[in-house]
Amino acid sequence: MSVRNIYRKAGIGIGAAALAVGLWSFSDDLFQISKNLDVFASVYKEVNLNYVDDINSAKMVKTGVDAMLSGLDPYTEFVPESEIEDYKLHYVSTQYGGIGTSIFTRNGKVYISEVFEGFPAQKADIRPGDQIVKINDIELTSRNNEQVSQLLKGSKGAGIKIQLKRGDAPAFEKSLVREEIKQPNVSYYGIVDGNIGYIKLDKFLENSADEVTNALTNLKKSNPTGIVLDLRSNGGGILQEAVKIVNLFVQKDVEVVSQKGKIREKNFTYRTVTQPVEGNLPLVVLVNGRSASASEIVAGALQDLDRAVVIGQRSYGKGLVQQTFSLPYSSLVKITIAKYFIPSGRCVQALDYAHRKDDGSVVKMADSSLHEFKTRSGRSVYDGSGVFPDVPVKQERFADVTQTLISKLLIYDYANDYRAAHQKIPAAKAFTLTDAEYGDFVKYLSGKNYTYSTASEKILTALKTEAAKDKQYAELQPELEALRNKLSSTKKNDLQVHKTEIKQVLENEIAARYYYEKGRYEANFKYDKEMAQAIKTLQDRPLLASILKGEGNYRIIGKPQATLAAARLDGDAK
């Protein structure tokens, strides 16, 4: 027998053995699945039959399914039939029948939070701060936001009667007709300083690419010198919409993103399919720590292709792809099926859900373990932990006094009073509070409760606690009390020390009373540091070119530690 035949026969034997092992393994998997489902069903049956109190069986099953999925990642989730419509509204479509408001509860009462321009509520002069007393003669006492929201929603063309109260005036009634409320993906676009086009994209739901296309087409009529695409706090959405948006700025047949998972048939590479709407104008993409998923595909792909300069803070770091699967009784499950990889070959996923610590916490990719990749022109970029900006801008945190004035609704209330006292204001871009008007706001706060603890006071309190534990408080008390008095004295000046940022929030809120969401953006432009950096970069063509070539002060040497330190990771963006 030849050596070749010996190996051939051995190969056949090995192949047969491998097939047998494969079949045994598959059969064992089926047995384990059947066994575990039988155990689950039996536990459910016995508890449902024998538990001492009545059981909400649907809630119990959902709790069990949620617990089963919780060990995977926060994006793999079960959606029961009762939650399907809300799921579609948040993750697929942006349309529903309603009057065009948002609401909130306060001291057991329901109030209008915001009014959207062009819809029934705005046309009927319903305003933020109006209390909703009744809807179709139904009293709202003890009803939560979700219940009131359901009463406001309904079929397009259906009538709705709302009783409202504004300030101390008598209650009044408005009869409206519900319209299809389409929350746009592009919440604002326009020309800003330097004749630069600006597009704010809030989400990547249905038709988002069409909306960006429309905005870009209209902006081009003004012959802009550059474009700013603002993806800050955009938590993502539909992957294909992201690919289409990249295609607006990138030539045909260019790879944008690929998804790779366990099932080969679900692996796919997305490429641009048409010629760009604008392939040459200088482009800046703004991101922050809440820019996630589809936002990172757009920002990362345009960075990898050297088509845009990314400005802001490190993005969130969600490099996972989900697909929905229909289940019996109109329910569904959304499952993470793959990771996505942008043109340089990197994946931006920051958290490793597959390798948790013993306590169940998720491990974040260490800065030291990041891998270097290259953009089309050879710039260094890195995987893991999101998209690093080419030009980092430190994210400013509002002072404690400002945050307190916002959270206690004092700025919100003052804006409502201001609107009641002033019939009109200048255009939002030009609107600014005078020193005298700011003084009126300070007087308005007199007697109002906005107590707060500064970071320094919190540290001092902690020090006092530790000193007491170590039995050193008596000795340190004079110094600690003197320091507390000093901090308290300094705190009295906070309304003047932080005047600029408080004015920023006030002007933003007041402008929204007259010019709605558009007014918020335009009033805030003059305070927006990332926007200022974007305009500066787009107007300085040599600077722009040097960034895209990885030259000069903006070239990242080694791993971008400064960017890492400045960035923050906020919760789970979905």
Side-chain angles (χ1 to χ4, degrees):
M1 183 182 290
S2 69
V3 173
R4 178 179 296 176
N5 286 336
I6 292 173
Y7 278 102
R8 183 178 296 161
K9 288 192 174 184
I12 292 173
I14 293 169
L19 178 60
V21 170
L23 290 173
W24 178 83
S25 177
F26 179 68
S27 176
D28 186 58
D29 284 347
L30 288 178
F31 170 72
Q32 290 297 329
I33 291 170
S34 178
K35 170 187 171 182
N36 291 326
L37 286 175
D38 194 20
V39 169
F40 182 87
S42 298
V43 170
Y44 167 73
K45 174 185 173 183
E46 296 301 333
V47 171
N48 200 37
L49 287 174
N50 298 297
Y51 190 70
V52 62
D53 293 322
D54 290 337
I55 289 174
N56 183 329
S57 56
K59 182 178 179 181
M60 185 168 70
V61 170
K62 185 176 187 305
T63 300
V65 173
D66 288 345
M68 176 176 66
L69 300 180
S70 65
L72 302 177
D73 62 57
Y75 315 109
T76 297
E77 58 181 329
F78 169 64
V79 184
E81 181 180 10
S82 60
E83 298 176 13
I84 287 293
E85 290 306 314
D86 282 342
Y87 172 83
K88 289 179 179 178
L89 182 62
H90 287 97
Y91 295 104
V92 182
S93 178
T94 58
Q95 300 179 24
Y96 60 92
I99 64 169
T101 64
S102 58
I103 59 172
F104 73 102
T105 55
R106 183 184 193 182
N107 300 325
K109 298 176 181 178
V110 182
Y111 293 88
I112 300 291
S113 171
E114 190 142 13
V115 174
F116 304 114
E117 188 174 12
F119 294 111
Q122 183 256 325
K123 294 172 186 175
D125 193 33
I126 293 174
R127 301 179 186 178
D130 287 349
Q131 179 194 344
I132 307 178
V133 181
K134 295 180 183 179
I135 298 175
N136 289 333
D137 296 322
I138 298 173
E139 294 276 359
L140 302 187
T141 308
S142 302
R143 292 181 183 266
N144 60 31
N145 275 8
E146 184 178 347
Q147 292 168 330
V148 176
S149 180
Q150 289 304 315
L151 289 173
L152 289 171
K153 292 177 182 177
S155 302
K156 175 184 175 181
I160 181 173
K161 187 169 59 175
I162 303 176
Q163 188 180 95
L164 301 150
K165 200 169 186 306
R166 181 176 299 163
D168 297 326
F172 58 96
E173 193 169 273
K174 298 281 187 179
S175 294
L176 310 175
V177 176
R178 293 186 182 95
E179 294 181 9
E180 181 179 79
I181 307 299
K182 186 176 184 301
Q183 296 178 331
N185 294 281
V186 173
S187 56
Y188 179 87
Y189 71 88
I191 297 294
V192 297
D193 291 348
N195 196 38
I196 289 168
Y198 171 84
I199 302 172
K200 179 69 176 80
L201 180 64
D202 290 328
K203 45 194 173 287
F204 287 83
L205 300 189
E206 286 179 342
N207 305 315
S208 58
D210 289 341
E211 290 181 37
V212 176
T213 302
N214 177 66
L216 186 58
T217 301
N218 281 309
L219 290 173
K220 286 183 66 178
K221 295 175 183 177
S222 299
N223 296 315
T225 57
I227 299 291
V228 175
L229 178 61
D230 190 349
L231 301 180
R232 288 175 294 182
S233 299
N234 182 327
I238 302 170
L239 182 148
Q240 290 87 343
E241 295 293 320
V243 175
K244 293 176 185 176
I245 289 170
V246 172
N247 198 167
L248 295 175
F249 304 100
V250 173
Q251 297 300 318
K252 183 179 179 181
D253 200 29
V254 173
E255 180 178 331
V256 176
V257 62
S258 60
Q259 64 181 53
K260 300 175 185 177
K262 180 170 65 176
I263 301 175
R264 184 180 302 174
E265 289 75 15
K266 294 186 184 296
N267 294 346
F268 193 79
T269 296
Y270 297 86
R271 307 181 71 88
T272 54
V273 296
T274 62
Q275 293 301 326
V277 172
E278 182 45 69
N280 298 311
L281 271 178
L283 177 65
V284 161
V285 179
L286 299 180
V287 297
N288 64 9
R290 297 186 67 84
S291 303
S293 191
S295 290
E296 295 173 294
I297 290 175
V298 172
L302 292 171
Q303 185 182 56
D304 282 357
L305 298 169
D306 297 305
R307 178 63 185 89
V309 170
V310 178
I311 293 176
Q313 300 87 46
R314 181 182 62 180
S315 66
Y316 180 81
K318 179 180 181 289
L320 305 175
V321 180
Q322 286 74 45
Q323 181 178 347
T324 57
F325 298 87
S326 296
L327 297 176
Y329 305 103
S330 302
S331 57
L332 61 82
V333 62
K334 180 160 66 82
I335 301 176
T336 297
I337 61 165
K339 292 182 179 179
Y340 69 74
F341 299 81
I342 46 183
S344 64
R346 58 182 167 144
C347 177
V348 301
Q349 179 62 26
L351 300 177
D352 187 359
Y353 295 105
H355 301 93
R356 295 173 182 260
K357 295 180 181 178
D358 293 339
D359 62 1
S361 60
V362 183
V363 179
K364 180 184 174 185
M365 185 175 287
D367 297 344
S368 58
S369 66
L370 302 184
H371 301 95
E372 183 178 5
F373 293 79
K374 296 293 184 181
T375 69
R376 178 181 278 180
S377 67
R379 290 189 297 151
S380 293
V381 289
Y382 298 87
D383 67 354
S385 298
V387 175
F388 297 95
D390 300 304
V391 184
V393 178
K394 183 179 179 181
Q395 188 169 45
E396 299 294 337
R397 175 185 175 275
F398 280 143
D400 296 301
V401 62
T402 310
Q403 293 187 53
T404 301
L405 293 174
I406 295 170
S407 64
K408 289 187 177 293
L409 299 177
L410 291 168
I411 287 178
Y412 171 86
D413 289 340
Y414 185 79
N416 295 335
D417 290 350
Y418 191 98
R419 172 67 179 88
H422 299 79
Q423 187 65 30
K424 61 181 181 178
I425 61 171
K429 286 183 180 180
F431 174 64
T432 183
L433 286 173
T434 65
D435 288 342
E437 287 177 317
Y438 185 76
D440 289 339
F441 174 68
V442 173
K443 291 176 185 176
Y444 167 82
L445 294 176
S446 179
K448 297 285 194 302
N449 176 22
Y450 61 101
T451 56
Y452 58 96
S453 295
T454 65
S456 299
E457 286 177 319
K458 291 173 185 175
I459 293 172
L460 186 61
T461 299
L463 179 59
K464 178 181 176 181
T465 302
E466 292 303 316
K469 287 180 183 178
D470 295 338
K471 303 187 187 311
Q472 295 177 332
Y473 179 67
E475 183 180 348
L476 296 174
Q477 183 179 8
E479 288 83 357
L480 291 175
E481 289 303 319
L483 185 54
R484 181 177 296 280
N485 291 334
K486 180 68 173 176
L487 288 173
S488 179
S489 176
T490 303
K491 190 173 168 182
K492 292 178 182 178
N493 298 321
D494 275 0
L495 290 175
Q496 296 304 321
V497 171
H498 302 291
K499 176 180 176 179
T500 299
E501 67 180 48
I502 295 172
K503 276 187 64 178
Q504 174 185 354
V505 181
L506 271 172
E507 289 169 4
N508 181 288
E509 196 69 31
I510 291 171
R513 296 296 180 273
Y514 299 86
Y515 302 109
Y516 308 98
E517 191 169 24
K518 178 181 178 181
R520 286 192 188 278
Y521 287 113
E522 294 185 344
N524 198 58
F525 282 150
K526 59 182 173 289
Y527 296 103
D528 192 332
K529 292 184 178 180
E530 287 98 338
M531 174 71 85
Q533 181 62 61
I535 293 171
K536 175 185 175 184
T537 302
L538 288 169
Q539 289 179 322
D540 190 337
R541 295 303 173 86
L543 172 64
L544 184 73
S546 70
I547 295 172
L548 292 174
K549 291 177 182 176
E551 298 173 347
N553 294 332
Y554 290 96
R555 184 178 182 181
I556 298 174
I557 306 298
K559 292 184 174 64
Q561 300 295 338
T563 307
L564 287 167
R568 63 187 177 95
L569 199 62
D570 284 342
D572 282 322
K574 293 186 179 181

